[in-house]
Short mmCIF file of all heavy atoms in Angstrom, two decimals:
data_model
loop_
_atom_site.label_atom_id
_atom_site.label_comp_id
_atom_site.label_asym_id
_atom_site.label_seq_id
_atom_site.Cartn_x
_atom_site.Cartn_y
_atom_site.Cartn_z
N LEU A 10 11.20 21.01 11.40
CA LEU A 10 12.67 21.11 11.37
C LEU A 10 13.04 22.57 11.54
O LEU A 10 12.49 23.44 10.87
CB LEU A 10 13.21 20.57 10.04
CG LEU A 10 14.71 20.69 9.81
CD1 LEU A 10 15.47 19.80 10.80
CD2 LEU A 10 15.08 20.31 8.38
N SER A 51 12.65 7.03 -10.38
CA SER A 51 12.96 5.98 -9.41
C SER A 51 14.23 5.19 -9.72
O SER A 51 14.73 4.47 -8.87
CB SER A 51 11.78 5.02 -9.27
OG SER A 51 11.47 4.46 -10.52
N SER A 84 11.87 29.18 4.48
CA SER A 84 10.88 28.79 5.50
C SER A 84 9.55 28.49 4.81
O SER A 84 9.00 29.34 4.11
CB SER A 84 10.69 29.93 6.51
OG SER A 84 11.85 30.11 7.28
N PRO A 114 17.09 33.41 11.74
CA PRO A 114 18.12 34.35 11.23
C PRO A 114 19.35 34.38 12.13
O PRO A 114 19.26 34.12 13.32
CB PRO A 114 17.40 35.71 11.25
CG PRO A 114 15.95 35.40 11.39
CD PRO A 114 15.84 34.07 12.08
#
Side-chain angles (χ1 to χ4, degrees):
Chain A
L10 176 66
S51 58
S84 292

